[in-house]
Amino acid sequence: RFNVPPGKVEEVMIPKIQVRVCLILRAWIQTHYNSHGFPTCPIAAKINEFVQRELVDKSQPEMAAMMTKAINTPPLKIVRDARPPLTRKPKNLTDELNIFDIDELELARQLTLMTWAIYEKIEPVEFFGSAWSKPQL
């Protein structure tokens, strides 16, 4: 809730709540709404009205600029090739295969595929608080 009713929270918390509301709305626009073409959607007018009424008119230029940028940024288009790349076979296919016989790009691809199984098991919550940068308990 952007407009906090008077007396519900301390005055110092109101700007923090408003920033959080804007950040959540921006994230929603970027991840969900922009994929459908924000300017053409019915709710776009309401969000633009909110930005004008609550941010621009009440002198919050940083948040207004942040929201306007999110609204006007075109959605990312992910282009996926239907076919996997061609395998690059080793230069020397013998029983004594050497790592230097394997194409560098193919080696990188295979290592990526092998490590992906590890990375996909990481839950998003594990990234909160930069847990990887703290010493283990």
Side-chain angles (χ1 to χ4, degrees):
R1 176 182 261 195
F2 189 82
N3 292 318
V4 181
K8 293 287 184 180
V9 296
E10 298 175 26
E11 284 292 317
V12 296
M13 292 300 293
I14 292 175
K16 293 177 183 179
I17 292 170
Q18 291 175 338
V19 167
R20 186 70 182 149
V21 167
C22 286
L23 291 174
I24 290 169
L25 186 57
R26 179 188 70 173
W28 182 77
I29 290 169
Q30 290 172 333
T31 57
H32 299 289
Y33 215 67
N34 261 348
S35 62
H36 303 293
F38 184 81
T40 60
C41 294
I43 199 168
K46 290 184 179 187
I47 294 177
N48 283 320
E49 179 186 327
F50 164 78
V51 171
Q52 183 64 40
R53 183 184 68 240
E54 299 296 337
L55 302 178
V56 175
D57 292 348
K58 294 186 179 174
S59 299
Q60 296 184 4
E62 294 87 10
M63 281 197 283
M66 175 187 72
M67 294 299 296
T68 303
K69 182 178 178 185
I71 291 167
N72 294 328
T73 301
L76 293 175
K77 293 183 180 179
I78 299 173
V79 178
R80 297 178 192 252
D81 192 1
R83 300 169 312 213
L86 295 174
T87 303
R88 297 179 178 206
K89 296 180 180 165
K91 300 168 194 160
N92 181 15
L93 266 176
T94 63
D95 291 337
E96 297 180 22
L97 185 64
N98 187 325
I99 194 166
F100 298 110
D101 294 331
I102 302 171
D103 183 76
E104 300 88 10
L105 183 59
E106 188 61 29
L107 182 62
R109 287 180 186 157
Q110 296 304 318
L111 288 172
T112 301
L113 291 172
M114 291 166 47
T115 56
W116 174 247
I118 297 167
Y119 289 118
E120 73 176 345
K121 292 178 183 175
I122 299 172
E123 295 294 324
V125 72
E126 294 180 49
F127 292 108
F128 295 156
S130 303
W132 64 88
S133 64
K134 296 177 183 171
Q136 291 182 335
L137 300 175

